[in-house]
Amino acid sequence: MSNYNRNNIPRVKHWYDERVTNVFDDPRITAVGLLFEAHAGLSARFNAQLEEHGLSAVEFEVITRLARSPGNQLRMTDLAAQTSLSTSGVTRVVDRMERDGLLTRRACPNDRRSSYAVVTASGMQRLNETLPGHLQMIEQWFTGQLDPEALAALLDGLRRVRDAAHPCATAGSDDVSPEQVAATDNATRRH
Amino acid sequence: MSNYNRNNIPRVKHWYDERVTNVFDDPRITAVGLLFEAHAGLSARFNAQLEEHGLSAVEFEVITRLARSPGNQLRMTDLAAQTSLSTSGVTRVVDRMERDGLLTRRACPNDRRSSYAVVTASGMQRLNETLPGHLQMIEQWFTGQLDPEALAALLDGLRRVRDAAHPCATAGSDDVSPEQVAATDNATRRH
DNA sequence: GCCCAACGACTGCTTGAGCAACTATAACCG
DNA sequence: CGGTTATAGTTGCTCAAGCAGTCGTTGGGC
């Protein structure tokens, strides 16, 4: 370590003004803050709308992921891998949603250890009631805030960050090969 | 195909390919997924590094926000407004951090209802140990993933989404007038 | 000065999520 | 086959966080 970088803060790049008033007001922190606050803000908006339909964010994610899977079903483990939940978390969400009639468990014919979570007719109906409003919220607070080029740039940047940082979230899906999943999964999934 | 949009999903716009394979694979959902997965991925990376220094994400946010406030202190309520926590949540985080010697409570001289949370010397030291690695993580997984223009575009887009959707989070800070805070706060803060 | 509404912080209770331990099944291997 | 190991899911325990209710304090109206 030479002496052009006396403080032990990593060397800054040149995409921001170096004259910072306070060490803790680092532009990198601000950048992260921007992403996190955007996320928090959207979450809050979405939660409010989802709650009107009696769904929490995780329940909505679960039912959506099931609904777009073949047969409207997914094995518990695959569901856990696709969501931000642990397997025990999935057990409990499915418990609640089964109690509420949105989902059912179905035994897996080939493997008696596995069971599928399946969306019921009532669950599909709930989703159909919820989704239009949800898409509207997305347009209102997210995609509609930017013109097409800016949005494309934003999504492009997000995709790159996601690809770099995200510890995999598409197990059991058809658009990702299982080997690819197995390779990256479980390494950094949970802190 | 005359009846290709018989479901009640709102009509899609034109910044993406309209030929979707599945109603639930709407590009708007994908866009949100991108943002949320980027957030989740970064969170996981950051948490891992913070945990090495014995800090949770909220604790790090708390101590950072205190450290960049005048006097390394903030009233409990203002701290709550700046973080994603409720006031009772702040009470408990500060409890834990006080127990761990990172923070102290200090009575407010003018208002005996209020109390300040103050960073201790030990807390500042912990922060100084943690911060360099944290900034390095940000560069590694976020800002360093993109060239300057792409990053600027990303941040610009995020800023606009944040400004639209975020229900205020800078109370008690000097860069925002208190009236401005009071006006937007509490309206949509918590679901 | 007195009263009452507003405010700041704290506490009891509940909920949701993760980890670790456990059970049942499957796969592998000799 | 019989035994060992790995996998799928569930359950007990713990912990963090929010809501609602409480207590002390403040400040405005009279």
Side-chain angles (χ1 to χ4, degrees):
Chain A
M1 216 181 270
S2 41
N3 56 2
Y4 71 91
N5 185 22
R6 293 197 185 84
N7 51 37
N8 52 0
I9 309 289
R11 194 93 144 70
V12 292
K13 297 292 192 327
H14 301 300
W15 50 274
Y16 51 75
D17 188 353
E18 292 208 9
R19 295 162 307 152
V20 285
T21 60
N22 186 324
V23 217
F24 307 112
D25 261 335
D26 192 283
R28 285 162 288 187
I29 292 188
T30 307
V32 172
L34 228 41
L35 176 56
F36 279 33
E37 286 172 16
H39 170 264
L42 290 178
S43 287
R45 304 287 182 183
F46 294 165
N47 284 342
Q49 188 262 334
L50 293 175
E51 202 180 18
E52 289 175 14
H53 297 273
L55 291 175
S56 72
V58 289
E59 287 166 350
F60 179 72
E61 195 190 353
V62 161
I63 203 169
T64 304
R65 288 218 132 94
L66 291 176
R68 72 169 142 196
S69 299
N72 295 339
Q73 60 181 357
L74 226 40
R75 294 184 327 143
M76 301 291 278
T77 308
D78 296 331
L79 188 53
Q82 286 197 17
T83 58
S84 53
L85 292 172
S86 65
T87 64
S88 76
V90 164
T91 295
R92 267 133 190 169
V93 183
V94 173
D95 281 349
R96 294 195 293 272
M97 296 178 75
E98 190 168 30
R99 170 173 52 74
D100 297 347
L102 304 171
L103 263 50
T104 328
R105 270 171 242 248
R106 177 180 299 163
C108 175
N110 349 341
D111 188 343
R112 287 165 60 180
R113 292 171 303 179
S114 303
S115 59
Y116 287 103
V118 199
V119 186
T120 62
S122 159
M124 289 303 286
Q125 186 189 339
R126 182 80 68 91
L127 182 56
N128 281 323
E129 289 164 9
T130 308
L131 203 50
H134 184 69
L135 293 175
Q136 224 171 308
M137 299 292 284
I138 299 179
E139 288 203 12
Q140 179 176 358
W141 300 109
F142 184 17
T143 60
Q145 290 291 325
L146 302 156
D147 52 86
E149 311 92 64
L151 180 59
L154 174 60
L155 294 181
D156 196 58
L158 285 176
R159 186 163 7 249
R160 259 192 276 176
V161 173
R162 195 268 317 255
D163 289 345
H166 199 260
C168 176
T170 44
S173 180
D174 32 352
D175 53 2
V176 172
S177 69
E179 316 86 72
Q180 187 179 343
V181 168
T184 50
D185 199 10
N186 288 329
T188 50
R189 279 203 61 224
R190 215 150 311 284
H191 69 275
Chain B
M1 27 161 82
S2 54
N3 52 2
Y4 70 95
N5 189 25
R6 281 187 307 195
N7 51 47
N8 53 358
I9 309 295
R11 210 74 160 71
V12 293
K13 297 294 193 319
H14 301 300
W15 50 274
Y16 50 73
D17 188 353
E18 292 208 8
R19 295 162 307 151
V20 287
T21 59
N22 187 322
V23 218
F24 307 113
D25 261 333
D26 191 281
R28 285 163 289 188
I29 291 188
T30 308
V32 172
L34 229 41
L35 176 57
F36 279 33
E37 286 172 15
H39 171 264
L42 289 177
S43 285
R45 305 287 181 183
F46 295 165
N47 284 341
Q49 188 262 335
L50 293 176
E51 201 180 19
E52 289 175 15
H53 296 273
L55 291 174
S56 72
V58 287
E59 287 165 351
F60 179 73
E61 196 191 353
V62 162
I63 204 169
T64 303
R65 289 218 133 96
L66 291 177
R68 72 169 142 193
S69 299
N72 295 339
Q73 62 181 355
L74 227 39
R75 294 185 325 142
M76 302 292 279
T77 308
D78 296 331
L79 188 52
Q82 285 197 19
T83 57
S84 51
L85 292 171
S86 65
T87 64
S88 77
V90 165
T91 295
R92 265 131 189 171
V93 183
V94 173
D95 280 349
R96 295 194 293 273
M97 296 178 76
E98 190 167 30
R99 170 173 52 73
D100 297 347
L102 304 172
L103 263 48
T104 329
R105 270 172 243 248
R106 177 181 301 163
C108 176
N110 344 342
D111 189 341
R112 287 164 62 182
R113 292 170 302 180
S114 302
S115 59
Y116 286 103
V118 198
V119 186
T120 63
S122 159
M124 289 305 286
Q125 187 188 341
R126 182 79 69 88
L127 182 56
N128 281 323
E129 290 163 9
T130 309
L131 202 51
H134 184 69
L135 292 175
Q136 224 170 311
M137 298 293 284
I138 299 178
E139 288 203 13
Q140 179 175 359
W141 300 110
F142 184 17
T143 61
Q145 289 291 325
L146 302 157
D147 52 85
E149 311 91 65
L151 180 59
L154 174 60
L155 293 181
D156 196 56
L158 285 177
R159 186 164 6 249
R160 255 189 280 174
V161 173
R162 196 269 317 254
D163 289 344
H166 199 263
C168 173
T170 44
S173 180
D174 31 352
D175 53 3
V176 172
S177 70
E179 316 84 75
Q180 187 177 344
V181 168
T184 50
D185 198 10
N186 288 329
T188 50
R189 278 202 61 226
R190 217 151 310 285
H191 68 275

